[in-house]
Amino acid sequence: MSLIEFRDVSERYIKGSTPAIDNVSFEIDNGEFVFITGDSGSGKSTIIKLLLRELVPTKGTITVAGMDLGKMKHRKIPMYRRKVGVVFQEFRLLEDRNIYDNVAFAQRVTEVKPKIIKKKVPAALSLVGLAQKYKSYPNELSGGEQQRVAIARALINEPALLLADEPTGNLDPSNSWEIMHLLEEANERGTTVVVVTHNQEIVNEMHKRVITLNKGVIVSDVKGGEYL
Ligand code: ADP
Ligand code: MG
């Protein structure tokens, strides 16, 4: 069954201007790992924002796990977003909190019992190999480590869907590979993963499904694909 369905979706930020994405349709099944690639300005982040329900489509429908995002009630949006893990290029950690609290924060807002948080945070940090650094602050970590914290935070609620918008955009090749392997491991544990990236080498070596956008239109969608 598909987890995500875009049906004839267009997004126009400004009335009368060219749409950022234009009549885009695709489906992503439960358990898939999908890259979205394309030149800067081709509409990749717009797709991520639509999936996070930060934007509503100007036209068309988006369903995630059977929910029509365009019809979702405002009061349901925060709960929906908590079920979607997300990682950005610029990490977006809270600089005045240590690593433990950065990861725990995502749980505290969901009213999870403290006893459970105390178990889950170290477990999430071990998954990304940072159990020992729980007391460090973001500025004491390397970029690669900070992104690993962001991944731990994204995974703590055990989301069915993990979205990553250029997660290796600020990292060197070896850290980039480490991040991709963590995303792949999350996928192997059952999370559906959608990764926006410009990283040609990674896309070519991972042999995943690749959706390529050009000026807001899907120009190719291939399983085991390469960077166009
Ligand atoms: P990508 O992530 O592939 O670089 P985006 O989805 O960010 O592309 O942008 C697609 C198009 O939409 C671009 O032409 C961009 O300028 C435009 N765009 C993005 N965000 C906004 C916005 N908030 N207001 C107006 N135009 C926007
Ligand atoms: Mg972008």
Side-chain angles (χ1 to χ4, degrees):
M1 202 199 87
S2 44
L3 178 68
I4 297 172
E5 185 181 356
F6 270 54
R7 196 185 299 156
D8 304 326
V9 175
S10 298
E11 180 67 37
R12 206 183 284 275
Y13 286 97
I14 300 155
K15 265 193 185 157
S17 67
T18 15
I21 60 166
D22 192 3
N23 226 31
V24 163
S25 298
F26 63 88
E27 287 182 35
I28 294 178
D29 284 343
N30 254 315
E32 276 198 90
F33 188 117
V34 183
F35 283 121
I36 299 180
T37 63
D39 291 345
S40 177
S42 59
K44 305 180 298 295
S45 294
T46 299
I47 288 179
I48 298 292
K49 286 176 189 151
L50 285 162
L51 284 169
L52 289 170
R53 189 37 173 90
E54 286 176 15
L55 294 171
V56 224
T58 314
K59 190 185 129 311
T61 45
I62 300 171
T63 45
V64 178
M67 292 175 283
D68 183 337
L69 296 193
K71 289 188 180 147
M72 186 177 280
K73 299 252 189 308
H74 276 272
R75 62 185 161 80
K76 298 244 162 128
I77 296 172
M79 208 204 312
Y80 167 73
R81 290 203 187 122
R82 268 178 240 133
K83 290 187 188 154
V84 179
V86 60
V87 178
F88 298 99
Q89 175 169 356
E90 66 283 6
F91 322 136
R92 299 197 189 176
L93 300 176
L94 303 166
E95 295 295 326
D96 60 345
R97 287 171 206 237
N98 68 24
I99 295 324
Y100 183 96
D101 286 332
N102 265 278
V103 176
F105 189 72
Q107 289 267 283
R108 291 199 182 117
V109 294
T110 62
E111 294 167 16
V112 178
K113 291 202 177 79
K115 206 171 130 190
I116 296 188
I117 295 181
K118 274 194 196 132
K119 269 195 171 164
K120 284 178 82 178
V121 174
L125 286 172
S126 329
L127 277 182
V128 301
L130 287 175
Q132 312 302 319
K133 298 231 172 179
Y134 70 100
K135 280 186 180 164
S136 303
Y137 282 78
N139 67 10
E140 297 166 337
L141 300 183
S142 71
E145 288 171 330
Q146 290 186 58
Q147 193 61 302
R148 276 148 63 193
V149 174
I151 290 177
R153 178 183 59 185
L155 292 175
I156 187 115
N157 294 327
E158 294 165 51
L161 176 61
L162 179 62
L163 305 173
D165 193 349
E166 312 253 16
T168 63
N170 287 340
L171 303 178
D172 61 31
S174 107
N175 278 302
S176 298
W177 274 114
E178 226 173 282
I179 293 304
M180 284 299 163
H181 289 141
L182 289 172
L183 298 178
E184 198 171 33
E185 281 169 24
N187 180 243
E188 281 160 7
R189 290 191 302 269
T191 303
T192 303
V193 176
V194 179
V195 184
V196 166
T197 188
H198 268 115
N199 194 316
Q200 204 162 328
E201 188 198 322
I202 282 174
V203 172
N204 289 347
E205 289 195 26
M206 283 180 75
H207 305 290
K208 304 292 188 188
R209 177 176 169 194
V210 184
I211 297 176
T212 306
L213 289 168
N214 188 339
K215 296 184 181 137
V217 173
I218 293 183
V219 291
S220 124
D221 182 348
V222 205
K223 290 226 161 88
E226 298 214 336
Y227 198 100
L228 289 187

